[in-house]
Coordinates of all heavy atoms in Angstrom, one line a residue:
M1323 N -117.6 4.3 77.5 CA -116.8 5.3 76.9 C -116.4 6.4 78.0 O -117.2 6.8 78.7 CB -117.6 6.1 75.8 CG -116.9 6.5 74.6 SD -117.9 7.3 73.4 CE -117.7 6.2 72.0
N1324 N -115.1 6.7 78.0 CA -114.6 7.7 79.0 C -114.8 9.1 78.5 O -115.2 9.3 77.3 CB -113.2 7.4 79.4 CG -112.2 7.6 78.3 OD1 -112.3 8.5 77.4 ND2 -111.2 6.7 78.2
S1325 N -114.5 10.1 79.3 CA -114.8 11.5 79.0 C -114.0 12.0 77.8 O -114.5 12.7 77.0 CB -114.6 12.3 80.2 OG -113.3 12.3 80.6
S1326 N -112.7 11.5 77.7 CA -111.9 12.0 76.5 C -112.5 11.4 75.2 O -112.4 12.1 74.2 CB -110.5 11.7 76.7 OG -110.2 10.3 77.0
E1327 N -112.9 10.2 75.2 CA -113.5 9.6 74.0 C -114.8 10.3 73.6 O -115.1 10.6 72.4 CB -113.8 8.1 74.2 CG -112.5 7.3 74.3 CD -112.8 5.8 74.7 OE1 -113.7 5.6 75.5 OE2 -112.0 5.0 74.2
L1328 N -115.6 10.7 74.6 CA -116.8 11.4 74.4 C -116.5 12.8 73.8 O -117.2 13.2 72.8 CB -117.7 11.6 75.7 CG -118.3 10.3 76.2 CD1 -118.9 10.6 77.6 CD2 -119.4 9.8 75.3
Y1329 N -115.5 13.4 74.3 CA -115.1 14.7 73.8 C -114.6 14.6 72.4 O -115.0 15.4 71.5 CB -114.0 15.3 74.7 CG -113.4 16.6 74.1 CD1 -114.2 17.8 74.3 CD2 -112.2 16.7 73.5 CE1 -113.7 19.0 73.8 CE2 -111.7 17.9 73.0 CZ -112.5 19.0 73.1 OH -112.0 20.2 72.6
I1330 N -113.8 13.7 72.1 CA -113.3 13.5 70.7 C -114.4 13.2 69.7 O -114.5 13.8 68.6 CB -112.2 12.4 70.7 CG1 -111.0 12.8 71.4 CG2 -111.9 11.9 69.2 CD1 -109.9 11.8 71.6
D1331 N -115.4 12.4 70.2 CA -116.6 12.1 69.3 C -117.4 13.4 69.1 O -117.8 13.6 67.9 CB -117.4 11.1 70.0 CG -116.9 9.7 69.8 OD1 -115.9 9.5 69.0 OD2 -117.4 8.8 70.5
A1332 N -117.5 14.2 70.1 CA -118.3 15.5 70.0 C -117.6 16.4 69.0 O -118.2 17.1 68.2 CB -118.5 16.1 71.3
V1333 N -116.3 16.5 69.1 CA -115.5 17.4 68.2 C -115.6 16.9 66.8 O -115.8 17.7 65.8 CB -114.0 17.5 68.7 CG1 -113.2 18.2 67.6 CG2 -113.9 18.2 70.0
A1334 N -115.5 15.6 66.6 CA -115.5 15.0 65.2 C -116.9 15.3 64.6 O -117.0 15.6 63.4 CB -115.2 13.5 65.3
E1335 N -118.0 15.1 65.4 CA -119.3 15.3 65.0 C -119.5 16.8 64.6 O -120.1 17.1 63.5 CB -120.3 15.0 66.0 CG -121.8 15.1 65.6 CD -122.7 14.7 66.7 OE1 -122.4 13.9 67.6 OE2 -123.9 15.1 66.6
A1336 N -119.0 17.7 65.4 CA -119.1 19.1 65.0 C -118.3 19.5 63.8 O -118.8 20.2 62.9 CB -118.6 20.0 66.2
A1337 N -117.2 18.9 63.6 CA -116.4 19.1 62.4 C -117.1 18.6 61.1 O -117.1 19.2 60.1 CB -115.0 18.4 62.5
R1338 N -117.7 17.4 61.3 CA -118.5 16.9 60.1 C -119.7 17.7 59.7 O -120.2 17.7 58.6 CB -118.9 15.4 60.4 CG -117.8 14.4 60.3 CD -118.4 13.0 60.3 NE -118.9 12.6 61.6 CZ -118.2 12.2 62.7 NH1 -116.9 12.0 62.5 NH2 -118.7 11.9 63.8
A1339 N -120.2 18.5 60.7 CA -121.4 19.3 60.4 C -121.0 20.6 59.7 O -121.9 21.3 59.2 CB -122.1 19.7 61.8
V1340 N -119.8 20.9 59.6 CA -119.3 22.2 58.9 C -119.5 22.0 57.4 O -119.0 21.0 56.9 CB -117.9 22.5 59.3 CG1 -117.4 23.7 58.5 CG2 -117.8 22.8 60.8
D1341 N -120.0 23.0 56.7 CA -120.1 23.0 55.3 C -118.8 23.3 54.7 O -118.3 24.4 54.8 CB -121.2 24.0 54.9 CG -121.5 24.0 53.4 OD1 -120.7 23.4 52.6 OD2 -122.5 24.7 53.0
A1342 N -118.2 22.4 54.0 CA -116.8 22.6 53.4 C -116.8 23.7 52.4 O -115.8 24.4 52.3 CB -116.4 21.3 52.8
D1343 N -117.9 23.9 51.7 CA -117.9 25.0 50.7 C -117.8 26.4 51.4 O -117.2 27.3 50.9 CB -119.2 25.0 49.9 CG -119.3 23.8 49.0 OD1 -118.2 23.3 48.6 OD2 -120.4 23.3 48.7
V1344 N -118.3 26.5 52.6 CA -118.2 27.8 53.4 C -116.8 28.0 53.8 O -116.3 29.1 53.7 CB -119.2 27.8 54.6 CG1 -118.9 29.0 55.5 CG2 -120.6 27.7 54.2
I1345 N -116.1 26.9 54.2 CA -114.7 27.0 54.6 C -113.9 27.4 53.4 O -113.0 28.4 53.5 CB -114.2 25.7 55.1 CG1 -114.9 25.3 56.4 CG2 -112.7 25.7 55.4 CD1 -114.8 26.2 57.5
V1346 N -114.1 26.8 52.2 CA -113.4 27.2 51.0 C -113.6 28.7 50.6 O -112.7 29.4 50.3 CB -113.7 26.2 49.8 CG1 -113.2 26.7 48.5 CG2 -113.3 24.8 50.1
A1347 N -114.9 29.1 50.8 CA -115.2 30.5 50.4 C -114.4 31.5 51.4 O -113.9 32.5 50.9 CB -116.7 30.7 50.5
C1348 N -114.3 31.1 52.6 CA -113.6 32.0 53.6 C -112.1 32.0 53.2 O -111.5 33.1 53.3 CB -113.8 31.4 55.0 SG -115.4 31.7 55.7
L1349 N -111.6 30.8 52.9 CA -110.1 30.8 52.6 C -109.9 31.6 51.3 O -108.9 32.3 51.2 CB -109.7 29.3 52.4 CG -109.7 28.5 53.7 CD1 -109.4 27.1 53.4 CD2 -108.7 29.1 54.7
D1350 N -110.8 31.5 50.3 CA -110.6 32.2 49.1 C -110.7 33.7 49.4 O -109.9 34.5 48.8 CB -111.7 31.8 48.1 CG -111.5 30.5 47.5 OD1 -110.4 29.9 47.6 OD2 -112.5 30.0 46.9
A1351 N -111.5 34.2 50.2 CA -111.6 35.6 50.6 C -110.4 36.1 51.3 O -109.9 37.2 51.0 CB -112.9 35.9 51.5
L1352 N -109.8 35.3 52.2 CA -108.6 35.6 52.9 C -107.4 35.7 51.9 O -106.6 36.6 51.9 CB -108.3 34.6 54.0 CG -109.2 34.8 55.2 CD1 -108.9 33.6 56.2 CD2 -108.9 36.1 55.9
E1353 N -107.4 34.7 51.0 CA -106.3 34.7 50.0 C -106.4 35.9 49.1 O -105.4 36.6 48.8 CB -106.3 33.4 49.2 CG -105.2 33.4 48.2 CD -105.2 32.1 47.3 OE1 -106.3 31.4 47.2 OE2 -104.1 31.7 46.8
A1354 N -107.6 36.3 48.7 CA -107.8 37.4 47.8 C -107.3 38.7 48.5 O -106.7 39.6 47.9 CB -109.2 37.5 47.3
A1355 N -107.7 38.8 49.8 CA -107.2 40.0 50.6 C -105.7 40.1 50.6 O -105.1 41.1 50.5 CB -107.9 39.9 52.0
Y1356 N -105.1 38.9 50.8 CA -103.6 38.9 50.9 C -103.0 39.3 49.6 O -102.1 40.2 49.5 CB -103.2 37.5 51.3 CG -101.7 37.3 51.3 CD1 -100.9 37.8 52.3 CD2 -101.0 36.7 50.2 CE1 -99.5 37.7 52.3 CE2 -99.6 36.5 50.2 CZ -98.9 37.0 51.3 OH -97.5 36.9 51.3
V1357 N -103.5 38.7 48.5 CA -102.9 39.0 47.2 C -103.1 40.5 46.8 O -102.3 41.1 46.2 CB -103.6 38.1 46.1 CG1 -103.3 38.5 44.7 CG2 -103.1 36.7 46.3
E1358 N -104.3 41.0 47.2 CA -104.6 42.4 46.8 C -104.1 43.4 47.9 O -104.4 44.6 47.8 CB -106.1 42.6 46.6 CG -106.6 41.7 45.5 CD -108.1 41.6 45.5 OE1 -108.8 42.3 46.2 OE2 -108.6 40.7 44.7
E1359 N -103.4 42.9 48.9 CA -102.8 43.7 50.0 C -103.9 44.5 50.7 O -103.7 45.7 51.0 CB -101.7 44.6 49.5 CG -100.5 43.8 48.9 CD -99.3 44.6 48.5 OE1 -99.4 45.9 48.6 OE2 -98.3 44.0 48.0
R1360 N -105.0 43.9 51.0 CA -106.1 44.5 51.7 C -106.0 44.1 53.2 O -105.4 43.1 53.5 CB -107.5 44.2 51.1 CG -107.7 44.8 49.7 CD -109.1 44.4 49.2 NE -109.1 43.0 48.8 CZ -110.2 42.2 49.1 NH1 -111.2 42.6 49.9 NH2 -110.2 41.0 48.7
A1361 N -106.6 44.9 54.0 CA -106.7 44.6 55.5 C -107.8 43.6 55.7 O -108.8 43.6 55.1 CB -106.9 45.9 56.3
V1362 N -107.6 42.8 56.7 CA -108.6 41.9 57.2 C -108.8 42.2 58.7 O -107.8 42.2 59.5 CB -108.2 40.4 57.1 CG1 -109.2 39.5 57.8 CG2 -108.0 40.0 55.6
Y1363 N -110.0 42.6 59.1 CA -110.3 42.9 60.5 C -111.0 41.7 61.1 O -112.0 41.2 60.6 CB -111.2 44.2 60.6 CG -110.5 45.4 60.0 CD1 -110.6 45.8 58.7 CD2 -109.7 46.2 60.9 CE1 -110.0 46.9 58.2 CE2 -109.1 47.3 60.4 CZ -109.2 47.6 59.1 OH -108.5 48.7 58.6
V1364 N -110.5 41.3 62.3 CA -111.1 40.2 63.0 C -111.6 40.8 64.3 O -110.8 41.3 65.1 CB -110.0 39.1 63.2 CG1 -110.7 37.9 63.9 CG2 -109.4 38.7 61.9
I1365 N -112.8 40.6 64.6 CA -113.4 41.3 65.8 C -114.1 40.3 66.7 O -114.8 39.4 66.2 CB -114.5 42.4 65.3 CG1 -113.8 43.4 64.4 CG2 -115.1 43.1 66.4 CD1 -114.7 44.3 63.6
G1366 N -114.0 40.5 68.0 CA -114.7 39.7 69.0 C -115.0 40.5 70.2 O -114.4 41.5 70.5
N1367 N -115.8 39.9 71.1 CA -116.2 40.6 72.3 C -116.2 39.5 73.4 O -116.7 38.4 73.2 CB -117.6 41.2 72.2 CG -118.0 41.9 73.5 OD1 -117.1 42.4 74.2 ND2 -119.3 42.0 73.7
G1368 N -115.5 39.7 74.5 CA -115.4 38.7 75.6 C -114.5 37.6 75.1 O -113.4 37.8 74.6
G1369 N -115.0 36.4 75.3 CA -114.2 35.2 74.9 C -113.9 35.2 73.4 O -112.9 34.7 73.0
S1370 N -114.9 35.7 72.6 CA -114.7 35.8 71.2 C -113.5 36.7 70.8 O -112.9 36.5 69.8 CB -115.9 36.3 70.5 OG -117.0 35.3 70.7
A1371 N -113.2 37.7 71.7 CA -112.1 38.6 71.4 C -110.8 37.8 71.5 O -109.9 38.1 70.7 CB -112.1 39.7 72.4
S1372 N -110.7 36.9 72.4 CA -109.5 36.0 72.5 C -109.4 35.2 71.2 O -108.3 35.0 70.7 CB -109.6 35.1 73.7 OG -108.5 34.3 73.8
N1373 N -110.5 34.6 70.8 CA -110.4 33.8 69.5 C -110.0 34.7 68.3 O -109.3 34.3 67.5 CB -111.8 33.2 69.2 CG -112.1 32.1 70.2 OD1 -111.3 31.5 70.9 ND2 -113.4 31.8 70.4
A1374 N -110.6 35.9 68.3 CA -110.3 36.9 67.2 C -108.8 37.2 67.2 O -108.1 37.3 66.2 CB -111.1 38.1 67.3
S1375 N -108.3 37.5 68.4 CA -106.8 37.8 68.6 C -106.0 36.6 68.1 O -105.0 36.9 67.4 CB -106.6 38.1 70.1 OG -105.2 38.4 70.2
H1376 N -106.4 35.5 68.5 CA -105.6 34.3 68.1 C -105.6 34.1 66.6 O -104.6 33.8 66.0 CB -106.2 33.0 68.8 CG -105.3 31.8 68.6 ND1 -104.4 31.4 69.6 CD2 -105.3 30.9 67.6 CE1 -103.8 30.3 69.2 NE2 -104.3 30.0 68.0
L1377 N -106.8 34.3 66.0 CA -106.9 34.1 64.5 C -106.0 35.2 63.8 O -105.3 34.9 62.9 CB -108.3 34.2 64.0 CG -108.5 34.2 62.5 CD1 -108.0 33.0 61.9 CD2 -110.0 34.4 62.2
A1378 N -106.1 36.5 64.3 CA -105.3 37.5 63.8 C -103.8 37.2 63.8 O -103.1 37.5 62.9 CB -105.6 38.8 64.4
Q1379 N -103.4 36.7 64.9 CA -102.0 36.3 65.1 C -101.6 35.2 64.1 O -100.5 35.2 63.5 CB -101.7 35.9 66.5 CG -100.3 35.5 66.8 CD -99.3 36.7 66.6 OE1 -99.7 37.8 66.9 NE2 -98.1 36.4 66.1
D1380 N -102.4 34.2 64.0 CA -102.2 33.1 63.0 C -102.1 33.6 61.6 O -101.2 33.2 60.8 CB -103.3 32.0 63.1 CG -103.2 31.2 64.4 OD1 -102.1 31.2 65.1 OD2 -104.1 30.5 64.7
L1381 N -103.0 34.6 61.3 CA -103.0 35.1 59.9 C -101.7 35.9 59.7 O -101.1 35.9 58.6 CB -104.2 36.0 59.7 CG -105.5 35.3 59.6 CD1 -106.7 36.3 59.5 CD2 -105.6 34.3 58.4
S1382 N -101.2 36.6 60.7 CA -100.0 37.5 60.5 C -98.7 36.7 60.4 O -97.8 37.2 59.9 CB -100.0 38.5 61.6 OG -99.6 37.9 62.8
K1383 N -98.7 35.5 60.9 CA -97.5 34.7 60.9 C -97.0 34.5 59.5 O -95.8 34.5 59.3 CB -97.7 33.3 61.5 CG -97.8 33.3 63.0 CD -98.1 31.9 63.5 CE -98.3 31.9 65.0 NZ -98.6 30.6 65.5
G1384 N -97.8 34.3 58.5 CA -97.4 34.0 57.2 C -97.1 35.3 56.4 O -96.7 35.2 55.2
T1385 N -97.4 36.5 56.9 CA -97.3 37.7 56.2 C -96.1 38.5 56.6 O -95.7 39.5 55.9 CB -98.5 38.6 56.3 OG1 -98.7 38.9 57.6 CG2 -99.7 37.8 55.7
M1386 N -95.4 38.2 57.7 CA -94.3 39.0 58.2 C -93.0 38.4 57.7 O -92.8 37.3 57.5 CB -94.3 39.0 59.7 CG -95.6 39.7 60.2 SD -95.6 39.8 62.0 CE -95.1 41.4 62.2

């Protein structure tokens, strides 16, 4: 197996480990905030700040 196949397998395994109910709960909370016109704060430190900034940008795309 080459390195890209190993990487794809690792990503797929990580995705399968995620609890789908938790994802649905997060999406429901975000949708409720949107419908109720509430603010959503996304916070990170270091590398997580970059992820938080990216998520905030993705969330704002659909609201502008």
Side-chain angles (χ1 to χ4, degrees):
M1323 214 180 242
N1324 64 38
S1325 59
S1326 53
E1327 290 171 327
L1328 290 171
Y1329 175 76
I1330 290 169
D1331 285 347
V1333 169
E1335 183 179 338
R1338 283 190 293 273
V1340 173
D1341 183 348
D1343 292 334
V1344 173
I1345 300 296
V1346 169
C1348 288
L1349 293 173
D1350 288 346
L1352 287 170
E1353 182 180 24
Y1356 176 76
V1357 168
E1358 297 166 14
E1359 297 183 0
R1360 291 185 286 134
V1362 174
Y1363 295 91
V1364 186
I1365 301 167
N1367 184 26
S1370 297
S1372 178
N1373 291 340
S1375 176
H1376 188 97
L1377 175 60
Q1379 182 63 33
D1380 286 347
L1381 291 174
S1382 71
K1383 286 180 185 177
T1385 60
M1386 297 180 100

